[in-house]
Amino acid sequence: KDIIEEKNHHITDSIKYAERLQAAILPKAEMFTKYFSKHSILYKPKDIVSGDFYWMEEMNGLVFLAAADCTGHGVPGAMVSMVGFQGLNKAVLEEKLTSPAAILQRLSDHVEEAFEKSGGSVKDGMDICLVAIDTEKRIVTYSGAHNALWILTSKEELPNANLREKEGGHSMFELKADRRSIGGFMDAGSFSETTVELNKGDRLFLFSDGFADQFGGPLGKKLGSKRMRETAREMAVSGNLIALGAIFEDWQGEEEQVDDVTVISVAL
């Protein structure tokens, strides 16, 4: 018993230190404040360290923002997330890529190269939503691997986007992702990208599937994408997006958290 308790103590301390290392590379709030009029971040790892991560850089007048969901959670997911961070930095800061679709393709190649060196059967990768934003002109270019982008806008129409809900002068549109992941060791075709021009005050939502997949509520069911989207829209319109975390915990109740949770919202 004493040996098990001692080992558990050392393992937990190591993971908590890894949590600090992971937190250190995430974009700081000051960076969001510099480029966006408003922002909200909900980031809830399931097991201390997270397989989710968010990333942000600025280059040549464009702000790049991503939310990613790596294979697994806990320590394995966190290790994959470090590979994702490195790949995004390499694509944008070293190779100077500006096209989100090209960045995702380079990231996918980077993940495959990183894991194929093992010579084993590692098939890990990630789903991701990536945007390149011209904050002056409010032009957003999006590309996604399984992870969609939601846009809350005062515009009546948005080309190449699917209207999901409309209420009180605000419409929630969805830009659909390509049905392929980053990595995966298979030729799944190239990534596509979509460009939209938005109004001042419009909001972008980047997220992993952890929020929508959480079980809870009065019937112990999944929260679901539709309920999540409606909640995010209502909270954004009311200016109270910080309440998303409380709403998630209320829905979860006594249920175990099923996955890492990330929801990033920025106002242009």
Side-chain angles (χ1 to χ4, degrees), residues 63-80:
V63 176
F64 298 89
L65 179 62
D69 180 359
C70 300
T71 305
H73 44 75
V75 174
M79 295 182 73
V80 178

Side-chain angles (χ1 to χ4, degrees), residues 3-18:
I3 292 173
I4 292 172
E5 286 182 347
E6 182 182 4
K7 287 183 178 295
N8 183 65
H9 176 74
H10 288 316
I11 291 169
T12 302
D13 282 351
S14 293
I15 295 174
K16 286 184 176 178
Y17 185 70

Side-chain angles (χ1 to χ4, degrees), residues 150 152 165 172 205 211 223-238 240-241 243-248 251:
W150 293 343
L152 183 66
E165 291 92 21
M172 183 72 95
F205 293 88
F211 195 107
L223 190 144
S225 294
K226 186 175 188 295
R227 187 180 284 108
M228 173 187 169
R229 196 170 54 244
E230 290 173 346
T231 301
R233 175 176 53 81
E234 291 167 3
M235 295 295 98
V237 171
S238 67
N240 192 29
L241 268 170
L244 269 181
I247 290 169
F248 177 83
W251 180 267

Side-chain angles (χ1 to χ4, degrees), residues 47-225:
D47 298 317
I48 305 179
V49 290
S50 180
D52 283 7
F53 71 90
Y54 55 98
W55 170 89
M56 184 178 176
E57 287 292 346
E58 187 276 336
M59 188 184 71
N60 296 334
L62 292 175
V63 176
F64 298 89
L65 179 62
D69 180 359
C70 300
T71 305
H73 44 75
V75 174
M79 295 182 73
V80 178
S81 79
M82 301 301 287
V83 176
F85 255 100
Q86 183 186 38
L88 287 168
N89 284 333
K90 183 176 182 179
V92 173
L93 300 180
E94 294 181 23
E95 299 180 8
K96 309 299 183 185
L97 299 178
T98 58
S99 158
I103 293 168
L104 291 194
Q105 186 58 59
R106 185 65 190 95
L107 174 62
S108 188
D109 293 343
H110 176 81
V111 170
E112 291 189 25
E113 291 163 7
F115 288 126
E116 70 182 3
K117 292 175 183 176
S118 67
S121 59
V122 178
K123 303 295 184 185
D124 291 307
M126 66 198 69
D127 297 334
I128 187 170
C129 171
L130 172 67
V131 290
I133 307 166
D134 184 326
T135 54
E136 293 293 323
K137 298 178 180 179
R138 292 185 288 278
I139 295 175
V140 177
T141 303
Y142 155 79
S143 187
H146 280 300
N147 283 10
L149 174 70
W150 293 343
I151 302 173
L152 183 66
T153 177
S154 56
K155 287 194 167 189
E156 291 289 325
E157 297 181 356
L158 210 56
N160 303 314
N162 297 315
L163 177 63
R164 292 305 189 185
E165 291 92 21
K166 186 175 182 180
E167 185 179 336
H170 292 86
S171 299
M172 183 72 95
F173 289 91
E174 179 181 72
L175 295 181
K176 289 191 173 183
D178 293 311
R179 297 181 64 83
R180 60 163 294 191
S181 295
I182 299 296
F185 299 84
M186 59 180 290
D187 184 6
S190 58
F191 289 99
S192 61
E193 64 182 31
T194 304
T195 299
V196 293
E197 186 173 350
L198 300 175
N199 292 335
K200 185 176 178 60
D202 287 353
R203 276 190 176 269
L204 307 178
F205 293 88
L206 300 80
F207 49 90
S208 66
D209 58 7
F211 195 107
D213 284 351
Q214 180 61 46
F215 287 96
L219 301 177
K221 293 185 176 182
K222 281 187 179 183
L223 190 144
S225 294

Side-chain angles (χ1 to χ4, degrees), residues 33-50:
T33 303
K34 180 178 179 180
Y35 295 110
F36 303 108
S37 59
K38 295 177 183 177
H39 76 276
S40 174
I41 301 170
L42 175 60
Y43 185 67
K44 285 177 63 68
K46 169 178 163 56
D47 298 317
I48 305 179
V49 290
S50 180

